[in-house]
Structures are given as structure tokens and as C-alpha cells.
Amino acid sequence: MKLVTAIVAPSTLGDVKAALERLGVLGMTVSDAQGYGRQKGHTEVYRGAQHPVDLIDKLRVEVLTDEATVDTVVDGVVAAARSERAGSGKVWVTPVEAVVRVRTGETGDAAL
Amino acid sequence: MNSGDTAWVLVSAALVMLMTPGLAFFYGGMVRSRGVLNMLMMSLGSMGVVGVLWVLIGYSTAFGSDVGLGLLGSPTEFFGLSPLLSGEQLSDTVPTMAFAAFQAMFAILTVSLISGAVADRARFGPWLLFAGLWAVVVYFPVAHWVFAFDETDNAGAVLAQGGWIANRLAAVDFAGGTAVHINAGAAALALVLVLGKRADWPQETGKPHNLPLVVLGAGLLWFGWFGFNAGSALAADTTAAVVLMNTLVATGASMLGWLVVERIRDGHATTLGAASGIVAGLVAITPACSSVTPIGAIAIGAVTGPLCALAISLKYRFGYDDSLDVVGVHLVGGLAGTVLVGLFASSAAPEEVDGLFYGGGVDQLWRQVVGAIAVFVYSFVLSLLLAWLVRATTGFRIRPDDEKEGVDETQHAETAYHFGDGRGSASAFRAPDVARALERTHS
């Protein structure tokens, strides 16, 4: 089992969600995140005073998946979240040791 | 009594009253979210303290019989305003009580204006103390200088003397460029010098937490300002109409001027810049609104918007933490508007005075400058003394820990915004069930 974690721009969430649903992904977790990558943040100006904003609002999308479909999920997210501008996000995959469905107590792939 | 005039003055009083909560929103949106309630409270507090003082001695000190040299009205002549209850008490064509109510709103607003300079670091009680002392010692006398006109008979002989700036000096200040804006701006400068900078100024302090709130406040100010300026005609007449039109166009021109400066200097025209330009224009046209043509009003706005936009960066150069630019907007805008009367006044306008650009020479100009400097010096010196007095007797600043924590929570035991209520709080109701389930799992 794998955990696919994607940091994406908030405006792309609708596309990411639609893409994953088309690929048959049944669930996901979305949470607010702030951060920056190589493009750094941006600068806001209030009454002429410059205020650099490093931590930009992003969304973290997490999907638990089995070994067979992990690449499809990653490709789906990347295709949906990609844009021309820097700051489109990042996707990474981590191994998962155990999964339990809370309602039934099922474990492993059955719990996905 | 004229019922049309009375209706206009009463409505104007209500319009001006709305400016204070409007100002509270304008200021409140500009501070960080952890200080917005205190910002609102400093304005609300002025409404209480200054309103009550106005009825007790304020009206008397400002508009009572002059006690000499045009410096002060008799402080107890109208104590409690009881002498104004009778229907025979008239100021020109309106009941004097309507005039007293209208002027009460001016006193309240002026004190509230100062509070923007000390955002995030003043203790609330000492602020109220300062507000009351300042109203009595500074505002009420200065209002007498500027707003109390001589009473004359039909032949023009003076029956009762009024304030020195309005009558002896004959500076034009229609609705309070000196008494309100220079006065409040000078006090703000004095207060920031006594209170000192915020601990994290200027790194962390300059981002407004809610710009829509700032625009809401600026809109309410502009709306109320029509009462502030056009109501000062004290009649529903041509003067009020001219003043209202001038208040519209000077403000628009000032906003555009501010935005042009931003576009050139910073690359973007900003929402905060538009709201700030609005207030700067309103401040500048206040003394001048009855003495210039609409074209003159546009010129005053077009000069003042850019001037104030540039002036607010002075605080970074000189290192004083005027949190919300009361000095840059109200002192500089008030000075500019007051002095520009001496340049742009036209005898075609209701005040019937010609400034330098309209063939009047420097006669009106020097009167404007003397009036402006007199109010600035008086207000600055007395405000310094009062702020020192408050600091020495009760303390004025919040503790450093409290400043870090936020002035709302430490001064008022409240926070403005509550998102996701209940999320993450453990439910006492469910706890025993969870404990039993854990025992079953591990047994």
C-alpha cells in the first residue's frame, strides 16, 4: 500500500478531484497547507510598505492506494494540477505499513 | 426657526455620528486580526466619554460666552445643556440644541481619529482617560477658537465675542481642517512619541487583516462626511449644496491621485490606497469646501492625495510608529487643505474670499498659515503633557507579553473571529464510551 501526497494550488483542486474520480479513486483527504518551493513567495504592498509573503496557501491532497494503481494516481494528479506558472506543486509517494477501516475493522487492501 | 434647516442639521448630526463607527471599521480593518476589537473599542469609548463631557462642559467651553481674547468659552454657562431645552433657544434658524448635538459628533470623531496612531499598544482605561482629558484641555478650547462666531446685530456691531481664529484672524476653516484634523494629527504625533514603537514595528505590523472592512469604513466616512461638511452650513441652502458637491469631487480626485502615485511607485493601484486617498481628500476639502469652486475642489484633491501618499513614508524615515498614519493623512491632509484655501479660494464660492490664484494676494494665505500653526503647536504641546501625565499616573502601554499575545485578548478578554468552533474539543459526553471501547480492544 502507498500514500500519494500532493501539494497543489487551491485553484486546481476541482480538476484534481475530477481526474481521480475518473480513475476510480474512491476517497481522498484534503487539507489546508502553507509553504513555498523554489519560486519562493510574493511581495504585497500596503501604503507603499513592502511585505514579503513566503508561505503561500496550498492544499494537501492525500490518497491511499494499492501498489498496482499508484502510478496512475500520480500521473492523474500531475496532469490535473500542472500549470504554466511556477508553484504548481509537488507529488510524492510513501510506503504505508498498515491501514484499518474504522467502521468495520477491516485491514490491508480491503480497507482501502 | 426654519423647519427645513432644522431637519437638515438634525440629519447631518446623525450622518456625522455614523462617521465614528465608520472610522472604527476603517481603522479596524487595517490592524492585525488580534487587535481589531481594541481598535473598534477606542472609537466606541470616545463616543461615551466625549459625548458625556460635551453635555457637561464641552458645549459651554466651546460655544459659551467668551471669557477673554477669544480663547475659551465660559465652561459652566450651559452646564448639562439645560438652558437649551426651551423652544426660544435658536442659533440662526435652527434650535441651538440641534447645533449642540451636531457639534457633539465633531468632538467625538476628532478624539476617535487620534486612536489610529496608537493601535496595538495602548491600555484601554488610560486611553479613555487621555480621551477625556484631551477633549477638555485641547478640543473644547480649539473648537471655540475656530467654530464660535461673533454674535452681531443687524448693523454688524459685535454683541458677543467668539473665537479668535474664526473672527479676529478670519482664517477660513469651514468644517474643521484646523480644529479637527490638524488638532487630531498633532495629538497623534505627540502620543506616538510618548508611547513609543510597537515591539515588532515595522517588520510584522503593516498588513491589514481585512481590506473589505477598510473600504466599508471609508465608505461610511464619505457618506457621513456629507453631513460633516454640508451640515456645517447650518441651513438647507446653496452653501450646503456647493459644499456637498465639493466634498464629492475633491475626494474622488484625491483617490485618483493616491492611486497614480502607487501605480508609479509600487507598480499596482491598491484597495488600501483607494480607501486612504478617499480619507485624505475628505480631510483636505473639509476646511476649504465653502470657499472654492468645484474645479478648485478637484485641484485640492489632486494635490492632497499624492501628498499624503508620499507623506506616510515619513514615519519610516524618522522612525516613529504612527500605526495607521494619522499624522500622514490627518495632519498633513489638514495642513494642506487649510493652507490651500489661501491659494484656491474664489469669491464666486459662498465664503466670498479670493485666494492667491484668484487675485486675492497673500492676505488670506497668511491667515490660513497662522491658524494652522497655532492649532498645531497648541495641540502638540498640550497632548505631549497630557500623554506624559497619563503615562506617569496610570501607565499607558500594555505589557510586552500582552502586546505579543494581542491587545484584544489581554485588554478585552475577547477575540474577533471564531472559525471552526468546536473542532478538536474533546466531548465529555463521549469520553466514557471511548474508554470502554479501548479496554475491549486490548483485553
Side-chain angles (χ1 to χ4, degrees), chain B residues 178-192:
Chain B
T178 55
V180 175
H181 297 288
I182 294 175
N183 206 355
L189 184 59
L191 220 47
V192 300

Side-chain angles (χ1 to χ4, degrees), chain B residues 5 14 51 76 88 101-102 107 151 177 195 202 235 246 267 311 322 326 414 425 438:
Chain B
D5 293 345
T76 52
E88 284 139 36
F102 178 66
E151 275 179 49
L195 277 174
N246 284 345
D322 171 15
V326 185
E414 294 172 302
S425 57
L438 277 175

Side-chain angles (χ1 to χ4, degrees), chain B residues 256-307:
Chain B
L256 294 176
W258 190 300
L259 292 179
V260 167
V261 168
E262 286 194 332
R263 183 70 180 80
I264 295 168
R265 185 186 57 189
D266 311 319
H268 298 90
T270 69
T271 314
L272 182 61
S276 311
I278 286 170
V279 176
L282 289 166
V283 169
I285 198 59
T286 293
C289 55
S290 72
S291 58
V292 297
T293 65
I295 294 293
I298 290 174
I300 286 179
V303 170
T304 316
L307 184 71

